[in-house]
PDB file of all heavy atoms in Angstrom:
ATOM      1  N   HIS A 242      12.219 -19.602   7.315  1.00  0.00           N
ATOM      2  CA  HIS A 242      12.422 -20.972   6.836  1.00  0.00           C
ATOM      3  C   HIS A 242      11.114 -21.684   6.505  1.00  0.00           C
ATOM      4  O   HIS A 242      11.118 -22.859   6.155  1.00  0.00           O
ATOM      5  CB  HIS A 242      13.209 -21.772   7.879  1.00  0.00           C
ATOM      6  CG  HIS A 242      14.553 -21.182   8.189  1.00  0.00           C
ATOM      7  ND1 HIS A 242      15.576 -21.139   7.268  1.00  0.00           N
ATOM      8  CD2 HIS A 242      15.026 -20.574   9.313  1.00  0.00           C
ATOM      9  CE1 HIS A 242      16.632 -20.553   7.809  1.00  0.00           C
ATOM     10  NE2 HIS A 242      16.326 -20.202   9.045  1.00  0.00           N
ATOM     11  N   PHE A 243      10.001 -20.956   6.612  1.00  0.00           N
ATOM     12  CA  PHE A 243       8.703 -21.559   6.305  1.00  0.00           C
ATOM     13  C   PHE A 243       7.982 -20.785   5.205  1.00  0.00           C
ATOM     14  O   PHE A 243       6.767 -20.901   5.055  1.00  0.00           O
ATOM     15  CB  PHE A 243       7.836 -21.618   7.568  1.00  0.00           C
ATOM     16  CG  PHE A 243       8.445 -22.439   8.670  1.00  0.00           C
ATOM     17  CD1 PHE A 243       9.180 -21.824   9.678  1.00  0.00           C
ATOM     18  CD2 PHE A 243       8.318 -23.814   8.681  1.00  0.00           C
ATOM     19  CE1 PHE A 243       9.760 -22.575  10.692  1.00  0.00           C
ATOM     20  CE2 PHE A 243       8.898 -24.573   9.690  1.00  0.00           C
ATOM     21  CZ  PHE A 243       9.619 -23.955  10.696  1.00  0.00           C
ATOM     22  N   SER A 244       8.741 -19.996   4.459  1.00  0.00           N
ATOM     23  CA  SER A 244       8.173 -19.230   3.349  1.00  0.00           C
ATOM     24  C   SER A 244       8.603 -19.862   2.034  1.00  0.00           C
ATOM     25  O   SER A 244       9.749 -20.297   1.895  1.00  0.00           O
ATOM     26  CB  SER A 244       8.643 -17.770   3.406  1.00  0.00           C
ATOM     27  OG  SER A 244       8.183 -17.141   4.585  1.00  0.00           O
ATOM     28  N   PHE A 245       7.681 -19.905   1.085  1.00  0.00           N
ATOM     29  CA  PHE A 245       7.939 -20.519  -0.214  1.00  0.00           C
ATOM     30  C   PHE A 245       7.807 -19.462  -1.305  1.00  0.00           C
ATOM     31  O   PHE A 245       6.881 -18.652  -1.277  1.00  0.00           O
ATOM     32  CB  PHE A 245       6.947 -21.659  -0.467  1.00  0.00           C
ATOM     33  CG  PHE A 245       7.073 -22.795   0.511  1.00  0.00           C
ATOM     34  CD1 PHE A 245       6.448 -22.736   1.751  1.00  0.00           C
ATOM     35  CD2 PHE A 245       7.821 -23.915   0.197  1.00  0.00           C
ATOM     36  CE1 PHE A 245       6.565 -23.776   2.657  1.00  0.00           C
ATOM     37  CE2 PHE A 245       7.946 -24.963   1.094  1.00  0.00           C
ATOM     38  CZ  PHE A 245       7.315 -24.898   2.329  1.00  0.00           C
ATOM     39  N   PHE A 246       8.734 -19.499  -2.258  1.00  0.00           N
ATOM     40  CA  PHE A 246       8.738 -18.494  -3.315  1.00  0.00           C
ATOM     41  C   PHE A 246       8.948 -19.162  -4.674  1.00  0.00           C
ATOM     42  O   PHE A 246       9.759 -20.078  -4.801  1.00  0.00           O
ATOM     43  CB  PHE A 246       9.855 -17.472  -3.085  1.00  0.00           C
ATOM     44  CG  PHE A 246       9.731 -16.715  -1.794  1.00  0.00           C
ATOM     45  CD1 PHE A 246      10.392 -17.154  -0.652  1.00  0.00           C
ATOM     46  CD2 PHE A 246       8.958 -15.574  -1.714  1.00  0.00           C
ATOM     47  CE1 PHE A 246      10.287 -16.465   0.546  1.00  0.00           C
ATOM     48  CE2 PHE A 246       8.846 -14.873  -0.521  1.00  0.00           C
ATOM     49  CZ  PHE A 246       9.512 -15.326   0.613  1.00  0.00           C
ATOM     50  N   PRO A 247       8.255 -18.695  -5.707  1.00  0.00           N
ATOM     51  CA  PRO A 247       8.471 -19.214  -7.058  1.00  0.00           C
ATOM     52  C   PRO A 247       9.719 -18.589  -7.682  1.00  0.00           C
ATOM     53  O   PRO A 247      10.392 -17.754  -7.057  1.00  0.00           O
ATOM     54  CB  PRO A 247       7.202 -18.778  -7.791  1.00  0.00           C
ATOM     55  CG  PRO A 247       6.842 -17.482  -7.121  1.00  0.00           C
ATOM     56  CD  PRO A 247       7.231 -17.638  -5.672  1.00  0.00           C
ATOM     57  N   CYS A 248       9.987 -18.950  -8.915  1.00  0.00           N
ATOM     58  CA  CYS A 248      11.163 -18.400  -9.612  1.00  0.00           C
ATOM     59  C   CYS A 248      10.975 -16.926  -9.949  1.00  0.00           C
ATOM     60  O   CYS A 248      11.934 -16.154  -9.940  1.00  0.00           O
ATOM     61  CB  CYS A 248      11.438 -19.193 -10.886  1.00  0.00           C
ATOM     62  SG  CYS A 248      11.952 -20.892 -10.580  1.00  0.00           S
ATOM     63  N   ASP A 249       9.739 -16.540 -10.270  1.00  0.00           N
ATOM     64  CA  ASP A 249       9.462 -15.174 -10.721  1.00  0.00           C
ATOM     65  C   ASP A 249       8.813 -14.368  -9.599  1.00  0.00           C
ATOM     66  O   ASP A 249       7.768 -14.755  -9.063  1.00  0.00           O
ATOM     67  CB  ASP A 249       8.537 -15.195 -11.938  1.00  0.00           C
ATOM     68  CG  ASP A 249       9.162 -15.930 -13.112  1.00  0.00           C
ATOM     69  OD1 ASP A 249      10.142 -15.410 -13.673  1.00  0.00           O
ATOM     70  OD2 ASP A 249       8.674 -17.026 -13.447  1.00  0.00           O
ATOM     71  N   ILE A 250       9.442 -13.249  -9.265  1.00  0.00           N
ATOM     72  CA  ILE A 250       8.957 -12.403  -8.173  1.00  0.00           C
ATOM     73  C   ILE A 250       8.945 -10.952  -8.633  1.00  0.00           C
ATOM     74  O   ILE A 250       9.876 -10.490  -9.302  1.00  0.00           O
ATOM     75  CB  ILE A 250       9.858 -12.534  -6.927  1.00  0.00           C
ATOM     76  CG1 ILE A 250       9.881 -13.986  -6.428  1.00  0.00           C
ATOM     77  CG2 ILE A 250       9.391 -11.601  -5.813  1.00  0.00           C
ATOM     78  CD1 ILE A 250      10.868 -14.226  -5.297  1.00  0.00           C
ATOM     79  N   VAL A 251       7.888 -10.239  -8.269  1.00  0.00           N
ATOM     80  CA  VAL A 251       7.835  -8.786  -8.452  1.00  0.00           C
ATOM     81  C   VAL A 251       8.003  -8.146  -7.081  1.00  0.00           C
ATOM     82  O   VAL A 251       7.299  -8.493  -6.126  1.00  0.00           O
ATOM     83  CB  VAL A 251       6.503  -8.332  -9.079  1.00  0.00           C
ATOM     84  CG1 VAL A 251       6.383  -6.806  -9.037  1.00  0.00           C
ATOM     85  CG2 VAL A 251       6.399  -8.821 -10.517  1.00  0.00           C
ATOM     86  N   SER A 252       8.938  -7.225  -6.982  1.00  0.00           N
ATOM     87  CA  SER A 252       9.119  -6.428  -5.770  1.00  0.00           C
ATOM     88  C   SER A 252       8.558  -5.040  -6.024  1.00  0.00           C
ATOM     89  O   SER A 252       8.787  -4.456  -7.085  1.00  0.00           O
ATOM     90  CB  SER A 252      10.605  -6.334  -5.418  1.00  0.00           C
ATOM     91  OG  SER A 252      10.838  -5.294  -4.488  1.00  0.00           O
ATOM     92  N   ILE A 253       7.818  -4.496  -5.045  1.00  0.00           N
ATOM     93  CA  ILE A 253       7.175  -3.201  -5.279  1.00  0.00           C
ATOM     94  C   ILE A 253       7.974  -2.025  -4.706  1.00  0.00           C
ATOM     95  O   ILE A 253       7.535  -0.882  -4.809  1.00  0.00           O
ATOM     96  CB  ILE A 253       5.718  -3.197  -4.762  1.00  0.00           C
ATOM     97  CG1 ILE A 253       5.602  -3.686  -3.314  1.00  0.00           C
ATOM     98  CG2 ILE A 253       4.851  -4.084  -5.633  1.00  0.00           C
ATOM     99  CD1 ILE A 253       5.818  -2.647  -2.297  1.00  0.00           C
ATOM    100  N   SER A 254       9.154  -2.305  -4.125  1.00  0.00           N
ATOM    101  CA  SER A 254      10.023  -1.216  -3.671  1.00  0.00           C
ATOM    102  C   SER A 254      11.445  -1.741  -3.508  1.00  0.00           C
ATOM    103  O   SER A 254      11.674  -2.950  -3.429  1.00  0.00           O
ATOM    104  CB  SER A 254       9.533  -0.626  -2.337  1.00  0.00           C
ATOM    105  OG  SER A 254       9.841  -1.486  -1.252  1.00  0.00           O
ATOM    106  N   LYS A 255      12.396  -0.829  -3.443  1.00  0.00           N
ATOM    107  CA  LYS A 255      13.797  -1.224  -3.262  1.00  0.00           C
ATOM    108  C   LYS A 255      14.001  -1.898  -1.912  1.00  0.00           C
ATOM    109  O   LYS A 255      14.798  -2.833  -1.787  1.00  0.00           O
ATOM    110  CB  LYS A 255      14.703   0.003  -3.389  1.00  0.00           C
ATOM    111  CG  LYS A 255      14.753   0.584  -4.791  1.00  0.00           C
ATOM    112  CD  LYS A 255      15.615   1.843  -4.842  1.00  0.00           C
ATOM    113  CE  LYS A 255      15.626   2.440  -6.243  1.00  0.00           C
ATOM    114  NZ  LYS A 255      16.392   3.712  -6.297  1.00  0.00           N
ATOM    115  N   LYS A 256      13.287  -1.429  -0.895  1.00  0.00           N
ATOM    116  CA  LYS A 256      13.401  -2.038   0.429  1.00  0.00           C
ATOM    117  C   LYS A 256      12.878  -3.475   0.418  1.00  0.00           C
ATOM    118  O   LYS A 256      13.431  -4.352   1.086  1.00  0.00           O
ATOM    119  CB  LYS A 256      12.634  -1.210   1.462  1.00  0.00           C
ATOM    120  CG  LYS A 256      13.434  -0.048   2.054  1.00  0.00           C
ATOM    121  CD  LYS A 256      14.540  -0.560   2.968  1.00  0.00           C
ATOM    122  CE  LYS A 256      15.311   0.562   3.634  1.00  0.00           C
ATOM    123  NZ  LYS A 256      14.550   1.244   4.682  1.00  0.00           N
ATOM    124  N   VAL A 257      11.806  -3.721  -0.332  1.00  0.00           N
ATOM    125  CA  VAL A 257      11.280  -5.081  -0.449  1.00  0.00           C
ATOM    126  C   VAL A 257      12.288  -5.967  -1.179  1.00  0.00           C
ATOM    127  O   VAL A 257      12.531  -7.115  -0.790  1.00  0.00           O
ATOM    128  CB  VAL A 257       9.913  -5.081  -1.162  1.00  0.00           C
ATOM    129  CG1 VAL A 257       9.487  -6.512  -1.503  1.00  0.00           C
ATOM    130  CG2 VAL A 257       8.855  -4.420  -0.287  1.00  0.00           C
ATOM    131  N   THR A 258      12.906  -5.438  -2.232  1.00  0.00           N
ATOM    132  CA  THR A 258      13.936  -6.194  -2.952  1.00  0.00           C
ATOM    133  C   THR A 258      15.084  -6.561  -2.018  1.00  0.00           C
ATOM    134  O   THR A 258      15.563  -7.705  -2.007  1.00  0.00           O
ATOM    135  CB  THR A 258      14.483  -5.372  -4.134  1.00  0.00           C
ATOM    136  OG1 THR A 258      13.412  -5.060  -5.029  1.00  0.00           O
ATOM    137  CG2 THR A 258      15.551  -6.147  -4.888  1.00  0.00           C
ATOM    138  N   HIS A 259      15.528  -5.605  -1.225  1.00  0.00           N
ATOM    139  CA  HIS A 259      16.614  -5.849  -0.267  1.00  0.00           C
ATOM    140  C   HIS A 259      16.215  -6.940   0.718  1.00  0.00           C
ATOM    141  O   HIS A 259      17.016  -7.821   1.064  1.00  0.00           O
ATOM    142  CB  HIS A 259      16.937  -4.550   0.472  1.00  0.00           C
ATOM    143  CG  HIS A 259      18.101  -4.660   1.408  1.00  0.00           C
ATOM    144  ND1 HIS A 259      17.954  -5.048   2.726  1.00  0.00           N
ATOM    145  CD2 HIS A 259      19.433  -4.452   1.217  1.00  0.00           C
ATOM    146  CE1 HIS A 259      19.140  -5.061   3.314  1.00  0.00           C
ATOM    147  NE2 HIS A 259      20.055  -4.704   2.422  1.00  0.00           N
ATOM    148  N   ASN A 260      14.978  -6.916   1.173  1.00  0.00           N
ATOM    149  CA  ASN A 260      14.468  -7.921   2.102  1.00  0.00           C
ATOM    150  C   ASN A 260      14.462  -9.313   1.470  1.00  0.00           C
ATOM    151  O   ASN A 260      14.868 -10.302   2.094  1.00  0.00           O
ATOM    152  CB  ASN A 260      13.057  -7.512   2.533  1.00  0.00           C
ATOM    153  CG  ASN A 260      12.418  -8.470   3.523  1.00  0.00           C
ATOM    154  OD1 ASN A 260      11.400  -9.088   3.225  1.00  0.00           O
ATOM    155  ND2 ASN A 260      12.987  -8.598   4.706  1.00  0.00           N
ATOM    156  N   LEU A 261      14.041  -9.400   0.215  1.00  0.00           N
ATOM    157  CA  LEU A 261      14.006 -10.686  -0.486  1.00  0.00           C
ATOM    158  C   LEU A 261      15.408 -11.255  -0.681  1.00  0.00           C
ATOM    159  O   LEU A 261      15.643 -12.453  -0.512  1.00  0.00           O
ATOM    160  CB  LEU A 261      13.318 -10.520  -1.842  1.00  0.00           C
ATOM    161  CG  LEU A 261      11.819 -10.207  -1.818  1.00  0.00           C
ATOM    162  CD1 LEU A 261      11.348  -9.762  -3.199  1.00  0.00           C
ATOM    163  CD2 LEU A 261      11.009 -11.414  -1.347  1.00  0.00           C
ATOM    164  N   LEU A 262      16.340 -10.377  -1.020  1.00  0.00           N
ATOM    165  CA  LEU A 262      17.701 -10.828  -1.312  1.00  0.00           C
ATOM    166  C   LEU A 262      18.494 -11.152  -0.049  1.00  0.00           C
ATOM    167  O   LEU A 262      19.241 -12.139  -0.010  1.00  0.00           O
ATOM    168  CB  LEU A 262      18.444  -9.760  -2.119  1.00  0.00           C
ATOM    169  CG  LEU A 262      17.965  -9.531  -3.552  1.00  0.00           C
ATOM    170  CD1 LEU A 262      18.691  -8.338  -4.162  1.00  0.00           C
ATOM    171  CD2 LEU A 262      18.181 -10.775  -4.407  1.00  0.00           C
ATOM    172  N   ASN A 263      18.331 -10.337   0.977  1.00  0.00           N
ATOM    173  CA  ASN A 263      19.218 -10.447   2.130  1.00  0.00           C
ATOM    174  C   ASN A 263      18.610 -11.174   3.326  1.00  0.00           C
ATOM    175  O   ASN A 263      19.338 -11.839   4.062  1.00  0.00           O
ATOM    176  CB  ASN A 263      19.683  -9.049   2.549  1.00  0.00           C
ATOM    177  CG  ASN A 263      20.546  -8.401   1.483  1.00  0.00           C
ATOM    178  OD1 ASN A 263      21.715  -8.710   1.340  1.00  0.00           O
ATOM    179  ND2 ASN A 263      19.954  -7.505   0.706  1.00  0.00           N
ATOM    180  N   TYR A 264      17.302 -11.057   3.528  1.00  0.00           N
ATOM    181  CA  TYR A 264      16.689 -11.806   4.626  1.00  0.00           C
ATOM    182  C   TYR A 264      16.290 -13.206   4.166  1.00  0.00           C
ATOM    183  O   TYR A 264      16.602 -14.203   4.820  1.00  0.00           O
ATOM    184  CB  TYR A 264      15.471 -11.061   5.178  1.00  0.00           C
ATOM    185  CG  TYR A 264      14.799 -11.803   6.322  1.00  0.00           C
ATOM    186  CD1 TYR A 264      15.384 -11.835   7.585  1.00  0.00           C
ATOM    187  CD2 TYR A 264      13.600 -12.480   6.128  1.00  0.00           C
ATOM    188  CE1 TYR A 264      14.785 -12.529   8.634  1.00  0.00           C
ATOM    189  CE2 TYR A 264      12.990 -13.175   7.164  1.00  0.00           C
ATOM    190  CZ  TYR A 264      13.590 -13.196   8.416  1.00  0.00           C
ATOM    191  OH  TYR A 264      12.993 -13.896   9.448  1.00  0.00           O
ATOM    192  N   PHE A 265      15.614 -13.283   3.015  1.00  0.00           N
ATOM    193  CA  PHE A 265      15.174 -14.586   2.512  1.00  0.00           C
ATOM    194  C   PHE A 265      16.213 -15.253   1.607  1.00  0.00           C
ATOM    195  O   PHE A 265      16.024 -16.396   1.195  1.00  0.00           O
ATOM    196  CB  PHE A 265      13.846 -14.433   1.761  1.00  0.00           C
ATOM    197  CG  PHE A 265      12.685 -14.099   2.657  1.00  0.00           C
ATOM    198  CD1 PHE A 265      12.182 -12.810   2.714  1.00  0.00           C
ATOM    199  CD2 PHE A 265      12.112 -15.069   3.460  1.00  0.00           C
ATOM    200  CE1 PHE A 265      11.113 -12.492   3.538  1.00  0.00           C
ATOM    201  CE2 PHE A 265      11.042 -14.770   4.292  1.00  0.00           C
ATOM    202  CZ  PHE A 265      10.545 -13.475   4.337  1.00  0.00           C
ATOM    203  N   ASN A 266      17.281 -14.521   1.283  1.00  0.00           N
ATOM    204  CA  ASN A 266      18.399 -15.070   0.503  1.00  0.00           C
ATOM    205  C   ASN A 266      17.941 -15.648  -0.841  1.00  0.00           C
ATOM    206  O   ASN A 266      18.340 -16.734  -1.251  1.00  0.00           O
ATOM    207  CB  ASN A 266      19.137 -16.149   1.310  1.00  0.00           C
ATOM    208  CG  ASN A 266      20.518 -16.447   0.748  1.00  0.00           C
ATOM    209  OD1 ASN A 266      21.170 -15.567   0.182  1.00  0.00           O
ATOM    210  ND2 ASN A 266      20.964 -17.680   0.883  1.00  0.00           N
ATOM    211  N   LEU A 267      17.120 -14.873  -1.568  1.00  0.00           N
ATOM    212  CA  LEU A 267      16.557 -15.341  -2.837  1.00  0.00           C
ATOM    213  C   LEU A 267      17.383 -14.843  -4.026  1.00  0.00           C
ATOM    214  O   LEU A 267      16.852 -14.327  -5.005  1.00  0.00           O
ATOM    215  CB  LEU A 267      15.105 -14.868  -2.969  1.00  0.00           C
ATOM    216  CG  LEU A 267      14.144 -15.358  -1.887  1.00  0.00           C
ATOM    217  CD1 LEU A 267      12.749 -14.807  -2.123  1.00  0.00           C
ATOM    218  CD2 LEU A 267      14.108 -16.884  -1.839  1.00  0.00           C
ATOM    219  N   LYS A 268      18.675 -15.016  -3.935  1.00  0.00           N
ATOM    220  CA  LYS A 268      19.565 -14.502  -4.979  1.00  0.00           C
ATOM    221  C   LYS A 268      19.490 -15.306  -6.272  1.00  0.00           C
ATOM    222  O   LYS A 268      19.991 -14.879  -7.307  1.00  0.00           O
ATOM    223  CB  LYS A 268      20.997 -14.449  -4.448  1.00  0.00           C
ATOM    224  CG  LYS A 268      21.162 -13.462  -3.286  1.00  0.00           C
ATOM    225  CD  LYS A 268      22.572 -13.444  -2.745  1.00  0.00           C
ATOM    226  CE  LYS A 268      22.736 -12.361  -1.678  1.00  0.00           C
ATOM    227  NZ  LYS A 268      21.917 -12.588  -0.492  1.00  0.00           N
ATOM    228  N   ASN A 269      18.866 -16.479  -6.220  1.00  0.00           N
ATOM    229  CA  ASN A 269      18.722 -17.290  -7.432  1.00  0.00           C
ATOM    230  C   ASN A 269      17.360 -17.113  -8.091  1.00  0.00           C
ATOM    231  O   ASN A 269      17.010 -17.838  -9.016  1.00  0.00           O
ATOM    232  CB  ASN A 269      18.943 -18.772  -7.116  1.00  0.00           C
ATOM    233  CG  ASN A 269      17.918 -19.308  -6.119  1.00  0.00           C
ATOM    234  OD1 ASN A 269      17.297 -18.543  -5.386  1.00  0.00           O
ATOM    235  ND2 ASN A 269      17.755 -20.622  -6.092  1.00  0.00           N
ATOM    236  N   ARG A 270      16.578 -16.141  -7.628  1.00  0.00           N
ATOM    237  CA  ARG A 270      15.270 -15.872  -8.224  1.00  0.00           C
ATOM    238  C   ARG A 270      15.354 -14.678  -9.173  1.00  0.00           C
ATOM    239  O   ARG A 270      16.244 -13.837  -9.066  1.00  0.00           O
ATOM    240  CB  ARG A 270      14.220 -15.567  -7.146  1.00  0.00           C
ATOM    241  CG  ARG A 270      14.022 -16.633  -6.095  1.00  0.00           C
ATOM    242  CD  ARG A 270      13.528 -17.953  -6.666  1.00  0.00           C
ATOM    243  NE  ARG A 270      12.830 -18.746  -5.672  1.00  0.00           N
ATOM    244  CZ  ARG A 270      13.408 -19.536  -4.783  1.00  0.00           C
ATOM    245  NH1 ARG A 270      14.732 -19.639  -4.760  1.00  0.00           N
ATOM    246  NH2 ARG A 270      12.685 -20.231  -3.913  1.00  0.00           N
ATOM    247  N   LYS A 271      14.408 -14.619 -10.097  1.00  0.00           N
ATOM    248  CA  LYS A 271      14.294 -13.463 -10.981  1.00  0.00           C
ATOM    249  C   LYS A 271      13.374 -12.447 -10.306  1.00  0.00           C
ATOM    250  O   LYS A 271      12.164 -12.646 -10.223  1.00  0.00           O
ATOM    251  CB  LYS A 271      13.719 -13.875 -12.336  1.00  0.00           C
ATOM    252  CG  LYS A 271      13.545 -12.709 -13.304  1.00  0.00           C
ATOM    253  CD  LYS A 271      12.848 -13.154 -14.582  1.00  0.00           C
ATOM    254  CE  LYS A 271      12.564 -11.952 -15.488  1.00  0.00           C
ATOM    255  NZ  LYS A 271      11.793 -12.345 -16.692  1.00  0.00           N
ATOM    256  N   ILE A 272      13.959 -11.365  -9.806  1.00  0.00           N
ATOM    257  CA  ILE A 272      13.199 -10.347  -9.083  1.00  0.00           C
ATOM    258  C   ILE A 272      13.122  -9.084  -9.939  1.00  0.00           C
ATOM    259  O   ILE A 272      14.143  -8.527 -10.334  1.00  0.00           O
ATOM    260  CB  ILE A 272      13.839 -10.026  -7.722  1.00  0.00           C
ATOM    261  CG1 ILE A 272      13.913 -11.296  -6.858  1.00  0.00           C
ATOM    262  CG2 ILE A 272      13.054  -8.931  -7.003  1.00  0.00           C
ATOM    263  CD1 ILE A 272      14.636 -11.106  -5.535  1.00  0.00           C
TER     264      ILE A 272
END
Side-chain angles (χ1 to χ4, degrees):
H242 301 293
F243 300 96
S244 297
F245 297 83
F246 299 94
C248 293
D249 299 291
I250 300 174
V251 170
S252 164
I253 51 86
S254 76
K255 292 177 182 177
K256 275 290 183 72
V257 170
T258 300
H259 184 271
N260 181 243
L261 292 167
L262 291 174
N263 295 282
Y264 180 74
F265 291 103
N266 197 31
L267 300 179
K268 296 178 175 64
N269 62 339
R270 303 298 204 277
K271 179 185 175 184
I272 301 175

